[in-house]
Amino acid sequence: DTQLNAMIQLAEQLPNYFLILEDGIGPNLACRILAEIGDIKRFNNTKQLISYAGIDPHISQSGDVDGLHLSISKKGNKRLRCLLYLAVSCNLRHKNENDPIQQFYKKKKQQSVPLKPKAARVACTNKLLRIIYSMCNNGCFYLN
């Protein structure tokens, strides 16, 4: 508990800490996510960060089957992937209709071929990571 408080105090000194505090992401998750990402400037684009987290699609092509939407690669940072999934799960429990993650989840569940709940949450982790990347790079809050 004291180590976590020390981590939060250190994270509060980072410029990106207050940017990612939102519904579902509290002080605990925010400091841990920033610790796992490290310096976000080392990633040239969102695809590199998504690949680092291991939530990029695992491509398995054979004949007419493209296999782009089967599963995630899981070749990246397992702790970051788990923290992002936890953040999305907490966010969805808040049931805030104006939240972009909530709207994206609803969209994935209502498309012509709806995703299963877990697959929709994984898609939301991808969306959340893209939002975090753009907020940290631009230094501004996310606005709908």
Side-chain angles (χ1 to χ4, degrees), residues 93-119:
R93 271 188 244 130
H94 281 264
K95 297 191 183 342
N96 181 0
E97 295 296 323
N98 298 326
D99 188 74
I101 300 299
Q102 194 85 30
Q103 292 170 350
F104 189 72
Y105 181 78
K106 217 178 237 186
K107 176 182 162 188
K108 289 295 174 187
K109 295 287 291 167
Q110 294 173 348
Q111 58 191 18
S112 60
V113 181
L115 291 179
K116 293 180 179 173
K118 190 172 183 181

mmCIF file with all atom_site columns, all heavy atoms in Angstrom, residues 93-119:
data_model
loop_
_atom_site.group_PDB
_atom_site.id
_atom_site.type_symbol
_atom_site.label_atom_id
_atom_site.label_alt_id
_atom_site.label_comp_id
_atom_site.label_asym_id
_atom_site.label_entity_id
_atom_site.label_seq_id
_atom_site.pdbx_PDB_ins_code
_atom_site.Cartn_x
_atom_site.Cartn_y
_atom_site.Cartn_z
_atom_site.occupancy
_atom_site.B_iso_or_equiv
_atom_site.pdbx_formal_charge
_atom_site.auth_seq_id
_atom_site.auth_comp_id
_atom_site.auth_asym_id
_atom_site.auth_atom_id
_atom_site.pdbx_PDB_model_num
ATOM 1   N N   . ARG A 1 93  ? -18.582 -0.465  -16.479 1.00 0.00 ? 93  ARG A N   1
ATOM 2   C CA  . ARG A 1 93  ? -19.456 -0.573  -15.309 1.00 0.00 ? 93  ARG A CA  1
ATOM 3   C C   . ARG A 1 93  ? -20.068 0.770   -14.914 1.00 0.00 ? 93  ARG A C   1
ATOM 4   O O   . ARG A 1 93  ? -21.127 0.807   -14.307 1.00 0.00 ? 93  ARG A O   1
ATOM 5   C CB  . ARG A 1 93  ? -18.690 -1.156  -14.119 1.00 0.00 ? 93  ARG A CB  1
ATOM 6   C CG  . ARG A 1 93  ? -18.772 -2.660  -14.093 1.00 0.00 ? 93  ARG A CG  1
ATOM 7   C CD  . ARG A 1 93  ? -18.189 -3.217  -12.818 1.00 0.00 ? 93  ARG A CD  1
ATOM 8   N NE  . ARG A 1 93  ? -17.040 -4.007  -13.224 1.00 0.00 ? 93  ARG A NE  1
ATOM 9   C CZ  . ARG A 1 93  ? -15.839 -3.922  -12.711 1.00 0.00 ? 93  ARG A CZ  1
ATOM 10  N NH1 . ARG A 1 93  ? -15.589 -3.082  -11.745 1.00 0.00 ? 93  ARG A NH1 1
ATOM 11  N NH2 . ARG A 1 93  ? -14.871 -4.680  -13.144 1.00 0.00 ? 93  ARG A NH2 1
ATOM 12  N N   . HIS A 1 94  ? -19.405 1.863   -15.274 1.00 0.00 ? 94  HIS A N   1
ATOM 13  C CA  . HIS A 1 94  ? -19.905 3.200   -14.920 1.00 0.00 ? 94  HIS A CA  1
ATOM 14  C C   . HIS A 1 94  ? -21.175 3.571   -15.692 1.00 0.00 ? 94  HIS A C   1
ATOM 15  O O   . HIS A 1 94  ? -21.936 4.410   -15.239 1.00 0.00 ? 94  HIS A O   1
ATOM 16  C CB  . HIS A 1 94  ? -18.828 4.265   -15.168 1.00 0.00 ? 94  HIS A CB  1
ATOM 17  C CG  . HIS A 1 94  ? -17.809 4.319   -14.095 1.00 0.00 ? 94  HIS A CG  1
ATOM 18  N ND1 . HIS A 1 94  ? -17.878 5.200   -13.051 1.00 0.00 ? 94  HIS A ND1 1
ATOM 19  C CD2 . HIS A 1 94  ? -16.690 3.588   -13.888 1.00 0.00 ? 94  HIS A CD2 1
ATOM 20  C CE1 . HIS A 1 94  ? -16.848 5.018   -12.254 1.00 0.00 ? 94  HIS A CE1 1
ATOM 21  N NE2 . HIS A 1 94  ? -16.112 4.042   -12.743 1.00 0.00 ? 94  HIS A NE2 1
ATOM 22  N N   . LYS A 1 95  ? -21.366 2.970   -16.865 1.00 0.00 ? 95  LYS A N   1
ATOM 23  C CA  . LYS A 1 95  ? -22.539 3.215   -17.716 1.00 0.00 ? 95  LYS A CA  1
ATOM 24  C C   . LYS A 1 95  ? -22.756 4.699   -18.021 1.00 0.00 ? 95  LYS A C   1
ATOM 25  O O   . LYS A 1 95  ? -23.865 5.208   -17.951 1.00 0.00 ? 95  LYS A O   1
ATOM 26  C CB  . LYS A 1 95  ? -23.801 2.609   -17.102 1.00 0.00 ? 95  LYS A CB  1
ATOM 27  C CG  . LYS A 1 95  ? -23.724 1.103   -16.974 1.00 0.00 ? 95  LYS A CG  1
ATOM 28  C CD  . LYS A 1 95  ? -25.062 0.528   -16.621 1.00 0.00 ? 95  LYS A CD  1
ATOM 29  C CE  . LYS A 1 95  ? -25.125 -0.939  -16.400 1.00 0.00 ? 95  LYS A CE  1
ATOM 30  N NZ  . LYS A 1 95  ? -24.180 -1.822  -16.834 1.00 0.00 ? 95  LYS A NZ  1
ATOM 31  N N   . ASN A 1 96  ? -21.680 5.397   -18.378 1.00 0.00 ? 96  ASN A N   1
ATOM 32  C CA  . ASN A 1 96  ? -21.761 6.795   -18.787 1.00 0.00 ? 96  ASN A CA  1
ATOM 33  C C   . ASN A 1 96  ? -22.004 6.831   -20.293 1.00 0.00 ? 96  ASN A C   1
ATOM 34  O O   . ASN A 1 96  ? -21.133 6.470   -21.076 1.00 0.00 ? 96  ASN A O   1
ATOM 35  C CB  . ASN A 1 96  ? -20.461 7.523   -18.425 1.00 0.00 ? 96  ASN A CB  1
ATOM 36  C CG  . ASN A 1 96  ? -20.475 8.983   -18.793 1.00 0.00 ? 96  ASN A CG  1
ATOM 37  O OD1 . ASN A 1 96  ? -21.461 9.487   -19.331 1.00 0.00 ? 96  ASN A OD1 1
ATOM 38  N ND2 . ASN A 1 96  ? -19.381 9.656   -18.510 1.00 0.00 ? 96  ASN A ND2 1
ATOM 39  N N   . GLU A 1 97  ? -23.176 7.275   -20.712 1.00 0.00 ? 97  GLU A N   1
ATOM 40  C CA  . GLU A 1 97  ? -23.571 7.249   -22.124 1.00 0.00 ? 97  GLU A CA  1
ATOM 41  C C   . GLU A 1 97  ? -22.702 8.139   -23.006 1.00 0.00 ? 97  GLU A C   1
ATOM 42  O O   . GLU A 1 97  ? -22.575 7.897   -24.200 1.00 0.00 ? 97  GLU A O   1
ATOM 43  C CB  . GLU A 1 97  ? -25.039 7.670   -22.264 1.00 0.00 ? 97  GLU A CB  1
ATOM 44  C CG  . GLU A 1 97  ? -26.016 6.711   -21.618 1.00 0.00 ? 97  GLU A CG  1
ATOM 45  C CD  . GLU A 1 97  ? -26.019 5.327   -22.247 1.00 0.00 ? 97  GLU A CD  1
ATOM 46  O OE1 . GLU A 1 97  ? -25.879 5.231   -23.485 1.00 0.00 ? 97  GLU A OE1 1
ATOM 47  O OE2 . GLU A 1 97  ? -26.140 4.340   -21.509 1.00 0.00 ? 97  GLU A OE2 1
ATOM 48  N N   . ASN A 1 98  ? -22.106 9.186   -22.457 1.00 0.00 ? 98  ASN A N   1
ATOM 49  C CA  . ASN A 1 98  ? -21.304 10.112  -23.250 1.00 0.00 ? 98  ASN A CA  1
ATOM 50  C C   . ASN A 1 98  ? -19.851 9.679   -23.388 1.00 0.00 ? 98  ASN A C   1
ATOM 51  O O   . ASN A 1 98  ? -19.083 10.319  -24.086 1.00 0.00 ? 98  ASN A O   1
ATOM 52  C CB  . ASN A 1 98  ? -21.358 11.519  -22.640 1.00 0.00 ? 98  ASN A CB  1
ATOM 53  C CG  . ASN A 1 98  ? -22.764 12.069  -22.644 1.00 0.00 ? 98  ASN A CG  1
ATOM 54  O OD1 . ASN A 1 98  ? -23.542 11.794  -23.547 1.00 0.00 ? 98  ASN A OD1 1
ATOM 55  N ND2 . ASN A 1 98  ? -23.100 12.832  -21.628 1.00 0.00 ? 98  ASN A ND2 1
ATOM 56  N N   . ASP A 1 99  ? -19.467 8.606   -22.724 1.00 0.00 ? 99  ASP A N   1
ATOM 57  C CA  . ASP A 1 99  ? -18.083 8.145   -22.744 1.00 0.00 ? 99  ASP A CA  1
ATOM 58  C C   . ASP A 1 99  ? -17.758 7.494   -24.095 1.00 0.00 ? 99  ASP A C   1
ATOM 59  O O   . ASP A 1 99  ? -18.537 6.680   -24.594 1.00 0.00 ? 99  ASP A O   1
ATOM 60  C CB  . ASP A 1 99  ? -17.866 7.140   -21.606 1.00 0.00 ? 99  ASP A CB  1
ATOM 61  C CG  . ASP A 1 99  ? -16.417 6.790   -21.453 1.00 0.00 ? 99  ASP A CG  1
ATOM 62  O OD1 . ASP A 1 99  ? -15.663 7.637   -20.942 1.00 0.00 ? 99  ASP A OD1 1
ATOM 63  O OD2 . ASP A 1 99  ? -16.036 5.680   -21.866 1.00 0.00 ? 99  ASP A OD2 1
ATOM 64  N N   . PRO A 1 100 ? -16.610 7.827   -24.719 1.00 0.00 ? 100 PRO A N   1
ATOM 65  C CA  . PRO A 1 100 ? -16.276 7.254   -26.029 1.00 0.00 ? 100 PRO A CA  1
ATOM 66  C C   . PRO A 1 100 ? -16.083 5.739   -25.996 1.00 0.00 ? 100 PRO A C   1
ATOM 67  O O   . PRO A 1 100 ? -16.448 5.055   -26.965 1.00 0.00 ? 100 PRO A O   1
ATOM 68  C CB  . PRO A 1 100 ? -14.986 7.968   -26.424 1.00 0.00 ? 100 PRO A CB  1
ATOM 69  C CG  . PRO A 1 100 ? -14.440 8.512   -25.160 1.00 0.00 ? 100 PRO A CG  1
ATOM 70  C CD  . PRO A 1 100 ? -15.597 8.765   -24.260 1.00 0.00 ? 100 PRO A CD  1
ATOM 71  N N   . ILE A 1 101 ? -15.557 5.202   -24.904 1.00 0.00 ? 101 ILE A N   1
ATOM 72  C CA  . ILE A 1 101 ? -15.365 3.752   -24.804 1.00 0.00 ? 101 ILE A CA  1
ATOM 73  C C   . ILE A 1 101 ? -16.726 3.057   -24.720 1.00 0.00 ? 101 ILE A C   1
ATOM 74  O O   . ILE A 1 101 ? -16.955 2.032   -25.354 1.00 0.00 ? 101 ILE A O   1
ATOM 75  C CB  . ILE A 1 101 ? -14.475 3.398   -23.584 1.00 0.00 ? 101 ILE A CB  1
ATOM 76  C CG1 . ILE A 1 101 ? -13.094 4.051   -23.707 1.00 0.00 ? 101 ILE A CG1 1
ATOM 77  C CG2 . ILE A 1 101 ? -14.342 1.896   -23.426 1.00 0.00 ? 101 ILE A CG2 1
ATOM 78  C CD1 . ILE A 1 101 ? -12.286 3.625   -24.906 1.00 0.00 ? 101 ILE A CD1 1
ATOM 79  N N   . GLN A 1 102 ? -17.629 3.636   -23.954 1.00 0.00 ? 102 GLN A N   1
ATOM 80  C CA  . GLN A 1 102 ? -18.984 3.092   -23.817 1.00 0.00 ? 102 GLN A CA  1
ATOM 81  C C   . GLN A 1 102 ? -19.692 3.087   -25.178 1.00 0.00 ? 102 GLN A C   1
ATOM 82  O O   . GLN A 1 102 ? -20.336 2.112   -25.552 1.00 0.00 ? 102 GLN A O   1
ATOM 83  C CB  . GLN A 1 102 ? -19.774 3.953   -22.819 1.00 0.00 ? 102 GLN A CB  1
ATOM 84  C CG  . GLN A 1 102 ? -21.042 3.336   -22.336 1.00 0.00 ? 102 GLN A CG  1
ATOM 85  C CD  . GLN A 1 102 ? -20.825 2.403   -21.174 1.00 0.00 ? 102 GLN A CD  1
ATOM 86  O OE1 . GLN A 1 102 ? -19.922 2.591   -20.398 1.00 0.00 ? 102 GLN A OE1 1
ATOM 87  N NE2 . GLN A 1 102 ? -21.628 1.390   -21.059 1.00 0.00 ? 102 GLN A NE2 1
ATOM 88  N N   . GLN A 1 103 ? -19.576 4.179   -25.924 1.00 0.00 ? 103 GLN A N   1
ATOM 89  C CA  . GLN A 1 103 ? -20.203 4.278   -27.236 1.00 0.00 ? 103 GLN A CA  1
ATOM 90  C C   . GLN A 1 103 ? -19.593 3.286   -28.215 1.00 0.00 ? 103 GLN A C   1
ATOM 91  O O   . GLN A 1 103 ? -20.302 2.656   -29.008 1.00 0.00 ? 103 GLN A O   1
ATOM 92  C CB  . GLN A 1 103 ? -20.068 5.708   -27.774 1.00 0.00 ? 103 GLN A CB  1
ATOM 93  C CG  . GLN A 1 103 ? -20.869 6.717   -27.003 1.00 0.00 ? 103 GLN A CG  1
ATOM 94  C CD  . GLN A 1 103 ? -20.540 8.147   -27.389 1.00 0.00 ? 103 GLN A CD  1
ATOM 95  O OE1 . GLN A 1 103 ? -19.585 8.412   -28.111 1.00 0.00 ? 103 GLN A OE1 1
ATOM 96  N NE2 . GLN A 1 103 ? -21.328 9.090   -26.878 1.00 0.00 ? 103 GLN A NE2 1
ATOM 97  N N   . PHE A 1 104 ? -18.270 3.116   -28.160 1.00 0.00 ? 104 PHE A N   1
ATOM 98  C CA  . PHE A 1 104 ? -17.587 2.176   -29.048 1.00 0.00 ? 104 PHE A CA  1
ATOM 99  C C   . PHE A 1 104 ? -18.013 0.742   -28.735 1.00 0.00 ? 104 PHE A C   1
ATOM 100 O O   . PHE A 1 104 ? -18.244 -0.061  -29.643 1.00 0.00 ? 104 PHE A O   1
ATOM 101 C CB  . PHE A 1 104 ? -16.071 2.343   -28.905 1.00 0.00 ? 104 PHE A CB  1
ATOM 102 C CG  . PHE A 1 104 ? -15.271 1.594   -29.922 1.00 0.00 ? 104 PHE A CG  1
ATOM 103 C CD1 . PHE A 1 104 ? -15.228 2.005   -31.242 1.00 0.00 ? 104 PHE A CD1 1
ATOM 104 C CD2 . PHE A 1 104 ? -14.539 0.467   -29.563 1.00 0.00 ? 104 PHE A CD2 1
ATOM 105 C CE1 . PHE A 1 104 ? -14.487 1.311   -32.185 1.00 0.00 ? 104 PHE A CE1 1
ATOM 106 C CE2 . PHE A 1 104 ? -13.791 -0.225  -30.491 1.00 0.00 ? 104 PHE A CE2 1
ATOM 107 C CZ  . PHE A 1 104 ? -13.766 0.204   -31.804 1.00 0.00 ? 104 PHE A CZ  1
ATOM 108 N N   . TYR A 1 105 ? -18.129 0.424   -27.447 1.00 0.00 ? 105 TYR A N   1
ATOM 109 C CA  . TYR A 1 105 ? -18.567 -0.913  -27.033 1.00 0.00 ? 105 TYR A CA  1
ATOM 110 C C   . TYR A 1 105 ? -19.972 -1.194  -27.560 1.00 0.00 ? 105 TYR A C   1
ATOM 111 O O   . TYR A 1 105 ? -20.237 -2.263  -28.110 1.00 0.00 ? 105 TYR A O   1
ATOM 112 C CB  . TYR A 1 105 ? -18.540 -1.022  -25.507 1.00 0.00 ? 105 TYR A CB  1
ATOM 113 C CG  . TYR A 1 105 ? -18.951 -2.373  -24.970 1.00 0.00 ? 105 TYR A CG  1
ATOM 114 C CD1 . TYR A 1 105 ? -18.064 -3.437  -24.995 1.00 0.00 ? 105 TYR A CD1 1
ATOM 115 C CD2 . TYR A 1 105 ? -20.216 -2.577  -24.439 1.00 0.00 ? 105 TYR A CD2 1
ATOM 116 C CE1 . TYR A 1 105 ? -18.421 -4.682  -24.494 1.00 0.00 ? 105 TYR A CE1 1
ATOM 117 C CE2 . TYR A 1 105 ? -20.590 -3.816  -23.951 1.00 0.00 ? 105 TYR A CE2 1
ATOM 118 C CZ  . TYR A 1 105 ? -19.692 -4.861  -23.975 1.00 0.00 ? 105 TYR A CZ  1
ATOM 119 O OH  . TYR A 1 105 ? -20.056 -6.092  -23.495 1.00 0.00 ? 105 TYR A OH  1
ATOM 120 N N   . LYS A 1 106 ? -20.855 -0.221  -27.409 1.00 0.00 ? 106 LYS A N   1
ATOM 121 C CA  . LYS A 1 106 ? -22.229 -0.366  -27.893 1.00 0.00 ? 106 LYS A CA  1
ATOM 122 C C   . LYS A 1 106 ? -22.254 -0.581  -29.399 1.00 0.00 ? 106 LYS A C   1
ATOM 123 O O   . LYS A 1 106 ? -22.994 -1.412  -29.921 1.00 0.00 ? 106 LYS A O   1
ATOM 124 C CB  . LYS A 1 106 ? -23.026 0.894   -27.529 1.00 0.00 ? 106 LYS A CB  1
ATOM 125 C CG  . LYS A 1 106 ? -24.434 0.636   -27.133 1.00 0.00 ? 106 LYS A CG  1
ATOM 126 C CD  . LYS A 1 106 ? -25.112 1.932   -26.748 1.00 0.00 ? 106 LYS A CD  1
ATOM 127 C CE  . LYS A 1 106 ? -25.644 1.809   -25.353 1.00 0.00 ? 106 LYS A CE  1
ATOM 128 N NZ  . LYS A 1 106 ? -26.426 2.969   -24.959 1.00 0.00 ? 106 LYS A NZ  1
ATOM 129 N N   . LYS A 1 107 ? -21.403 0.178   -30.113 1.00 0.00 ? 107 LYS A N   1
ATOM 130 C CA  . LYS A 1 107 ? -21.322 0.062   -31.569 1.00 0.00 ? 107 LYS A CA  1
ATOM 131 C C   . LYS A 1 107 ? -20.868 -1.340  -31.973 1.00 0.00 ? 107 LYS A C   1
ATOM 132 O O   . LYS A 1 107 ? -21.417 -1.934  -32.903 1.00 0.00 ? 107 LYS A O   1
ATOM 133 C CB  . LYS A 1 107 ? -20.344 1.116   -32.090 1.00 0.00 ? 107 LYS A CB  1
ATOM 134 C CG  . LYS A 1 107 ? -20.087 1.066   -33.569 1.00 0.00 ? 107 LYS A CG  1
ATOM 135 C CD  . LYS A 1 107 ? -19.061 2.117   -33.945 1.00 0.00 ? 107 LYS A CD  1
ATOM 136 C CE  . LYS A 1 107 ? -18.451 1.820   -35.282 1.00 0.00 ? 107 LYS A CE  1
ATOM 137 N NZ  . LYS A 1 107 ? -17.329 2.694   -35.591 1.00 0.00 ? 107 LYS A NZ  1
ATOM 138 N N   . LYS A 1 108 ? -19.872 -1.877  -31.285 1.00 0.00 ? 108 LYS A N   1
ATOM 139 C CA  . LYS A 1 108 ? -19.361 -3.208  -31.599 1.00 0.00 ? 108 LYS A CA  1
ATOM 140 C C   . LYS A 1 108 ? -20.385 -4.302  -31.289 1.00 0.00 ? 108 LYS A C   1
ATOM 141 O O   . LYS A 1 108 ? -20.397 -5.341  -31.938 1.00 0.00 ? 108 LYS A O   1
ATOM 142 C CB  . LYS A 1 108 ? -18.064 -3.487  -30.820 1.00 0.00 ? 108 LYS A CB  1
ATOM 143 C CG  . LYS A 1 108 ? -16.894 -2.679  -31.317 1.00 0.00 ? 108 LYS A CG  1
ATOM 144 C CD  . LYS A 1 108 ? -16.556 -3.096  -32.715 1.00 0.00 ? 108 LYS A CD  1
ATOM 145 C CE  . LYS A 1 108 ? -15.506 -2.272  -33.365 1.00 0.00 ? 108 LYS A CE  1
ATOM 146 N NZ  . LYS A 1 108 ? -15.309 -2.604  -34.775 1.00 0.00 ? 108 LYS A NZ  1
ATOM 147 N N   . LYS A 1 109 ? -21.235 -4.061  -30.292 1.00 0.00 ? 109 LYS A N   1
ATOM 148 C CA  . LYS A 1 109 ? -22.257 -5.046  -29.927 1.00 0.00 ? 109 LYS A CA  1
ATOM 149 C C   . LYS A 1 109 ? -23.475 -4.971  -30.852 1.00 0.00 ? 109 LYS A C   1
ATOM 150 O O   . LYS A 1 109 ? -24.257 -5.914  -30.912 1.00 0.00 ? 109 LYS A O   1
ATOM 151 C CB  . LYS A 1 109 ? -22.715 -4.830  -28.478 1.00 0.00 ? 109 LYS A CB  1
ATOM 152 C CG  . LYS A 1 109 ? -21.651 -5.077  -27.438 1.00 0.00 ? 109 LYS A CG  1
ATOM 153 C CD  . LYS A 1 109 ? -21.347 -6.519  -27.242 1.00 0.00 ? 109 LYS A CD  1
ATOM 154 C CE  . LYS A 1 109 ? -22.510 -7.191  -26.592 1.00 0.00 ? 109 LYS A CE  1
ATOM 155 N NZ  . LYS A 1 109 ? -22.441 -8.632  -26.632 1.00 0.00 ? 109 LYS A NZ  1
ATOM 156 N N   . GLN A 1 110 ? -23.656 -3.847  -31.581 1.00 0.00 ? 110 GLN A N   1
ATOM 157 C CA  . GLN A 1 110 ? -24.837 -3.664  -32.407 1.00 0.00 ? 110 GLN A CA  1
ATOM 158 C C   . GLN A 1 110 ? -24.549 -3.697  -33.903 1.00 0.00 ? 110 GLN A C   1
ATOM 159 O O   . GLN A 1 110 ? -25.452 -3.456  -34.691 1.00 0.00 ? 110 GLN A O   1
ATOM 160 C CB  . GLN A 1 110 ? -25.515 -2.334  -32.059 1.00 0.00 ? 110 GLN A CB  1
ATOM 161 C CG  . GLN A 1 110 ? -26.081 -2.308  -30.666 1.00 0.00 ? 110 GLN A CG  1
ATOM 162 C CD  . GLN A 1 110 ? -26.607 -0.939  -30.275 1.00 0.00 ? 110 GLN A CD  1
ATOM 163 O OE1 . GLN A 1 110 ? -26.355 0.051   -30.953 1.00 0.00 ? 110 GLN A OE1 1
ATOM 164 N NE2 . GLN A 1 110 ? -27.325 -0.891  -29.169 1.00 0.00 ? 110 GLN A NE2 1
ATOM 165 N N   . GLN A 1 111 ? -23.327 -4.003  -34.309 1.00 0.00 ? 111 GLN A N   1
ATOM 166 C CA  . GLN A 1 111 ? -23.035 -4.054  -35.739 1.00 0.00 ? 111 GLN A CA  1
ATOM 167 C C   . GLN A 1 111 ? -23.681 -5.282  -36.365 1.00 0.00 ? 111 GLN A C   1
ATOM 168 O O   . GLN A 1 111 ? -24.241 -6.126  -35.672 1.00 0.00 ? 111 GLN A O   1
ATOM 169 C CB  . GLN A 1 111 ? -21.528 -4.014  -35.981 1.00 0.00 ? 111 GLN A CB  1
ATOM 170 C CG  . GLN A 1 111 ? -20.742 -5.120  -35.332 1.00 0.00 ? 111 GLN A CG  1
ATOM 171 C CD  . GLN A 1 111 ? -19.247 -4.859  -35.383 1.00 0.00 ? 111 GLN A CD  1
ATOM 172 O OE1 . GLN A 1 111 ? -18.798 -3.745  -35.598 1.00 0.00 ? 111 GLN A OE1 1
ATOM 173 N NE2 . GLN A 1 111 ? -18.471 -5.904  -35.189 1.00 0.00 ? 111 GLN A NE2 1
ATOM 174 N N   . SER A 1 112 ? -23.634 -5.391  -37.692 1.00 0.00 ? 112 SER A N   1
ATOM 175 C CA  . SER A 1 112 ? -24.351 -6.463  -38.394 1.00 0.00 ? 112 SER A CA  1
ATOM 176 C C   . SER A 1 112 ? -23.921 -7.852  -37.915 1.00 0.00 ? 112 SER A C   1
ATOM 177 O O   . SER A 1 112 ? -24.745 -8.752  -37.810 1.00 0.00 ? 112 SER A O   1
ATOM 178 C CB  . SER A 1 112 ? -24.152 -6.337  -39.901 1.00 0.00 ? 112 SER A CB  1
ATOM 179 O OG  . SER A 1 112 ? -22.777 -6.420  -40.208 1.00 0.00 ? 112 SER A OG  1
ATOM 180 N N   . VAL A 1 113 ? -22.636 -8.036  -37.651 1.00 0.00 ? 113 VAL A N   1
ATOM 181 C CA  . VAL A 1 113 ? -22.149 -9.272  -37.029 1.00 0.00 ? 113 VAL A CA  1
ATOM 182 C C   . VAL A 1 113 ? -21.604 -8.855  -35.669 1.00 0.00 ? 113 VAL A C   1
ATOM 183 O O   . VAL A 1 113 ? -20.436 -8.486  -35.547 1.00 0.00 ? 113 VAL A O   1
ATOM 184 C CB  . VAL A 1 113 ? -21.049 -9.947  -37.875 1.00 0.00 ? 113 VAL A CB  1
ATOM 185 C CG1 . VAL A 1 113 ? -20.572 -11.236 -37.215 1.00 0.00 ? 113 VAL A CG1 1
ATOM 186 C CG2 . VAL A 1 113 ? -21.535 -10.219 -39.280 1.00 0.00 ? 113 VAL A CG2 1
ATOM 187 N N   . PRO A 1 114 ? -22.449 -8.878  -34.622 1.00 0.00 ? 114 PRO A N   1
ATOM 188 C CA  . PRO A 1 114 ? -22.008 -8.355  -33.321 1.00 0.00 ? 114 PRO A CA  1
ATOM 189 C C   . PRO A 1 114 ? -20.891 -9.188  -32.713 1.00 0.00 ? 114 PRO A C   1
ATOM 190 O O   . PRO A 1 114 ? -20.836 -10.403 -32.863 1.00 0.00 ? 114 PRO A O   1
ATOM 191 C CB  . PRO A 1 114 ? -23.270 -8.418  -32.466 1.00 0.00 ? 114 PRO A CB  1
ATOM 192 C CG  . PRO A 1 114 ? -24.180 -9.355  -33.144 1.00 0.00 ? 114 PRO A CG  1
ATOM 193 C CD  . PRO A 1 114 ? -23.802 -9.390  -34.592 1.00 0.00 ? 114 PRO A CD  1
ATOM 194 N N   . LEU A 1 115 ? -19.991 -8.486  -32.032 1.00 0.00 ? 115 LEU A N   1
ATOM 195 C CA  . LEU A 1 115 ? -18.905 -9.163  -31.337 1.00 0.00 ? 115 LEU A CA  1
ATOM 196 C C   . LEU A 1 115 ? -19.405 -9.716  -30.014 1.00 0.00 ? 115 LEU A C   1
ATOM 197 O O   . LEU A 1 115 ? -20.325 -9.169  -29.407 1.00 0.00 ? 115 LEU A O   1
ATOM 198 C CB  . LEU A 1 115 ? -17.762 -8.185  -31.069 1.00 0.00 ? 115 LEU A CB  1
ATOM 199 C CG  . LEU A 1 115 ? -16.968 -7.676  -32.263 1.00 0.00 ? 115 LEU A CG  1
ATOM 200 C CD1 . LEU A 1 115 ? -15.892 -6.707  -31.802 1.00 0.00 ? 115 LEU A CD1 1
ATOM 201 C CD2 . LEU A 1 115 ? -16.341 -8.811  -33.030 1.00 0.00 ? 115 LEU A CD2 1
ATOM 202 N N   . LYS A 1 116 ? -18.774 -10.784 -29.573 1.00 0.00 ? 116 LYS A N   1
ATOM 203 C CA  . LYS A 1 116 ? -19.070 -11.307 -28.234 1.00 0.00 ? 116 LYS A CA  1
ATOM 204 C C   . LYS A 1 116 ? -18.547 -10.299 -27.219 1.00 0.00 ? 116 LYS A C   1
ATOM 205 O O   . LYS A 1 116 ? -17.664 -9.500  -27.527 1.00 0.00 ? 116 LYS A O   1
ATOM 206 C CB  . LYS A 1 116 ? -18.401 -12.664 -28.050 1.00 0.00 ? 116 LYS A CB  1
ATOM 207 C CG  . LYS A 1 116 ? -19.011 -13.723 -28.955 1.00 0.00 ? 116 LYS A CG  1
ATOM 208 C CD  . LYS A 1 116 ? -18.344 -15.060 -28.764 1.00 0.00 ? 116 LYS A CD  1
ATOM 209 C CE  . LYS A 1 116 ? -19.003 -16.083 -29.677 1.00 0.00 ? 116 LYS A CE  1
ATOM 210 N NZ  . LYS A 1 116 ? -18.322 -17.352 -29.663 1.00 0.00 ? 116 LYS A NZ  1
ATOM 211 N N   . PRO A 1 117 ? -19.085 -10.323 -25.990 1.00 0.00 ? 117 PRO A N   1
ATOM 212 C CA  . PRO A 1 117 ? -18.687 -9.312  -25.001 1.00 0.00 ? 117 PRO A CA  1
ATOM 213 C C   . PRO A 1 117 ? -17.182 -9.186  -24.778 1.00 0.00 ? 117 PRO A C   1
ATOM 214 O O   . PRO A 1 117 ? -16.653 -8.080  -24.718 1.00 0.00 ? 117 PRO A O   1
ATOM 215 C CB  . PRO A 1 117 ? -19.397 -9.772  -23.728 1.00 0.00 ? 117 PRO A CB  1
ATOM 216 C CG  . PRO A 1 117 ? -20.584 -10.520 -24.211 1.00 0.00 ? 117 PRO A CG  1
ATOM 217 C CD  . PRO A 1 117 ? -20.151 -11.179 -25.487 1.00 0.00 ? 117 PRO A CD  1
ATOM 218 N N   . LYS A 1 118 ? -16.482 -10.313 -24.675 1.00 0.00 ? 118 LYS A N   1
ATOM 219 C CA  . LYS A 1 118 ? -15.041 -10.254 -24.426 1.00 0.00 ? 118 LYS A CA  1
ATOM 220 C C   . LYS A 1 118 ? -14.299 -9.672  -25.632 1.00 0.00 ? 118 LYS A C   1
ATOM 221 O O   . LYS A 1 118 ? -13.377 -8.868  -25.480 1.00 0.00 ? 118 LYS A O   1
ATOM 222 C CB  . LYS A 1 118 ? -14.497 -11.640 -24.090 1.00 0.00 ? 118 LYS A CB  1
ATOM 223 C CG  . LYS A 1 118 ? -13.069 -11.612 -23.595 1.00 0.00 ? 118 LYS A CG  1
ATOM 224 C CD  . LYS A 1 118 ? -12.627 -12.956 -23.083 1.00 0.00 ? 118 LYS A CD  1
ATOM 225 C CE  . LYS A 1 118 ? -11.219 -12.889 -22.538 1.00 0.00 ? 118 LYS A CE  1
ATOM 226 N NZ  . LYS A 1 118 ? -10.760 -14.169 -22.051 1.00 0.00 ? 118 LYS A NZ  1
ATOM 227 N N   . ALA A 1 119 ? -14.708 -10.044 -26.835 1.00 0.00 ? 119 ALA A N   1
ATOM 228 C CA  . ALA A 1 119 ? -14.074 -9.516  -28.048 1.00 0.00 ? 119 ALA A CA  1
ATOM 229 C C   . ALA A 1 119 ? -14.337 -8.017  -28.174 1.00 0.00 ? 119 ALA A C   1
ATOM 230 O O   . ALA A 1 119 ? -13.452 -7.255  -28.588 1.00 0.00 ? 119 ALA A O   1
ATOM 231 C CB  . ALA A 1 119 ? -14.588 -10.252 -29.277 1.00 0.00 ? 119 ALA A CB  1
#
